């Protein structure tokens, strides 16, 4: 089922954040219906830096392709602000769609952007952003590729302006609306009360962010159709990795940490090493079975 079709039915879609093929494969194996390729998570893991617009379009496209080669699960991709103006947005959409994105999220921040839950963001005009959404819609090759319009206006221009911007982006052709960083449960309720009749709504859960945390079931009751947890996996892994390195440095061995790790064989089983080696053997055997007989030597022919 495509993401577009799934949005019409059932409970809200929970899309965990991923940042590479390994995390994507683990999330898919856990049973999630969709994944969220987080620009912030890519910045954290590939660059070891904050989400302040340092990741390039080509770097994200590379990750999309690697994830798509590993899992078929629908993938919502964070395209920041499209990496430029409307013409840049057109190219971004074409490249990301070709790489395997199921939905492409574009926000109304200026260049360079910053994480939606950091302070001192700045926005382009609502008119310019509407043009970028129109450019994104025009550039996609398939109607199954969804365009997510995100506004960061709550923290910059106030809640009412954020609702106005989201409605304008809906008029421009967006498929999904994302009002970033509502600051209370009342604002969450107001987002759905004002916009849920227009388009499916996406909401972002960030531990320690501006939006009060709630479960996917609770947010679904409010009227949200997609709930993302973009950076949770990095926060979890960073916490574990910090403990691991401290333990190894203190003890000079992994033994005290062993119960919190996969061993060599378990990790290989997880990533499918036995299956891939077995597949490789089928090609070797095929080559042996179809190899032509050796030509006779001249002496033998005589």
């Amino acid at each position: 089922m495509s993401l577009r079709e799934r949005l019409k039915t059932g409970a809200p879609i929970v899309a965990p954040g991923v940042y590479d093929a390994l995390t994507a494969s683990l999330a898919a194996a856990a049973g999630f219906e969709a994944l969220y390729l987080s620009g912030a998570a890519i910045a954290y893991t590939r660059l070891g830096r904050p989400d302040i617009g340092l990741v390039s379009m080509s770097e994200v496209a590379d990750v999309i392709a690697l994830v798509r080669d590993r899992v078929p699960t629908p993938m919502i991709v964070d395209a920041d602000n499209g990496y430029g103006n409307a013409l840049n947005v057109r190219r971004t959409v074409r490249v990301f769609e070709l790489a395997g994105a199921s939905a492409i999220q574009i926000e109304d921040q200026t260049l360079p952007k910053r994480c939606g839950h950091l302070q001192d963001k700045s926005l382009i005009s609502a008119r310019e952003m509407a043009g970028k959404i129109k450019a994104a819609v025009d550039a996609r090759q398939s109607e199954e590729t969804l365009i997510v319009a995100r506004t960061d206006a709550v923290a910059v221009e106030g809640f009412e302006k954020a609702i106005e911007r989201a409605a304008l982006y809906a008029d421009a052709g967006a498929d999904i609306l994302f009002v970033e960083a509502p600051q209370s449960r009342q604002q969450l309720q107001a987002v759905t009360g004002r916009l849920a009749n227009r388009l499916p709504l996406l909401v972002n859960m960030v531990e320690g962010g501006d939006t009060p945390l709630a479960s996917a079931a609770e947010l679904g009751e409010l009227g949200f159709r997609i709930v993302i947890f973009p950076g949770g996996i990095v926060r979890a892994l960073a916490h574990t990795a910090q403990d691991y390195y401290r333990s190894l440095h203190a003890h000079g061995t992994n033994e005290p940490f062993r119960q919190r790790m996969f061993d060599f064989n378990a990790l290989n089983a997880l990533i499918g090493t036995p299956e891939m080696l077995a597949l490789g053997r089928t090609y070797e055997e095929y080559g042996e079975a179809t190899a032509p007989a050796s030509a006779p030597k001249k002496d033998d022919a005589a």
Side-chain angles (χ1 to χ4, degrees):
M1 181 184 297
S2 71
L3 190 59
R4 183 183 290 278
E5 289 300 312
R6 174 59 181 83
L7 282 168
K8 298 175 183 177
T9 63
I13 298 168
V14 178
V18 301
Y19 61 84
D20 64 4
L22 176 62
T23 52
S25 66
L26 294 172
F32 288 100
E33 298 177 90
L35 309 174
Y36 183 86
L37 183 57
S38 164
I42 293 173
Y44 300 155
T45 56
R46 293 193 66 167
L47 308 181
R49 294 296 186 185
D51 180 22
I52 53 172
L54 300 175
V55 177
S56 69
M57 184 264 283
S58 60
E59 287 174 317
V60 177
D62 288 344
V63 179
I64 297 170
L66 290 169
V67 170
R68 182 53 72 228
D69 183 58
R70 186 66 176 84
V71 297
T73 310
M75 178 170 38
I76 305 166
V77 177
D78 177 7
D80 288 348
N81 46 23
Y83 311 101
N85 63 15
L87 296 179
N88 296 108
V89 167
R90 286 179 58 89
R91 180 164 187 259
T92 296
V93 168
R94 289 196 300 270
V95 170
F96 283 14
E97 183 180 36
L98 183 63
S102 308
I104 301 167
Q105 174 192 303
I106 301 166
E107 65 199 36
D108 55 8
Q109 287 194 49
T110 59
L111 284 169
K113 59 79 50 100
R114 60 178 58 196
C115 173
H117 290 258
L118 290 176
Q119 301 305 308
D120 299 322
K121 296 179 289 186
S122 61
L123 308 180
I124 62 175
S125 71
R127 286 184 59 190
E128 181 180 354
M129 179 61 177
K132 290 170 79 168
I133 295 300
K134 181 62 165 61
V137 172
D138 289 347
R140 66 183 173 191
Q141 297 299 300
S142 170
E143 290 296 318
E144 294 299 321
T145 302
L146 306 181
I147 304 301
V148 183
R150 165 177 146 178
T151 179
D152 286 73
V154 171
V156 181
E157 299 176 340
F159 183 78
E160 286 300 321
K161 287 292 186 182
I163 297 297
E164 291 176 12
R165 279 178 173 259
L168 181 61
Y169 306 160
D171 292 339
D175 301 293
I176 298 167
L177 297 177
F178 176 11
V179 177
E180 174 66 299
Q183 297 173 353
S184 65
R185 185 175 179 86
Q186 290 70 32
Q187 287 191 354
L188 286 169
Q189 290 174 322
V191 169
T192 57
R194 304 274 289 278
L195 296 172
N197 64 331
R198 298 291 304 274
L199 290 173
L201 301 177
L202 182 152
V203 63
N204 181 13
M205 291 289 100
V206 179
E207 299 80 10
D210 291 336
T211 303
L213 297 179
S215 70
E218 293 170 324
L219 293 163
E221 290 177 1
L222 290 180
F224 291 98
R225 298 295 300 130
I226 303 175
V227 184
I228 63 171
F229 295 81
I233 183 60
V234 181
R235 287 187 285 278
L237 289 175
H239 189 281
T240 301
Q242 187 178 68
D243 287 349
Y244 165 76
Y245 288 123
R246 286 173 174 171
S247 175
L248 180 58
H249 185 265
H251 301 287
T253 173
N254 283 331
E255 195 60 36
F257 211 83
R258 193 169 177 179
Q259 296 305 311
R260 297 177 62 185
M261 302 169 61
F262 288 112
D263 68 14
F264 180 77
N265 291 326
L267 181 60
N268 276 290
L270 184 72
I271 61 177
T273 302
E275 292 82 359
M276 291 200 74
L277 293 177
L279 177 62
R281 285 193 292 273
T282 66
Y283 293 115
E284 293 169 4
E285 293 164 1
Y286 176 83
E288 292 170 0
T290 59
S294 299
K297 296 179 180 179
K298 288 185 178 180
D299 292 345
D300 293 339

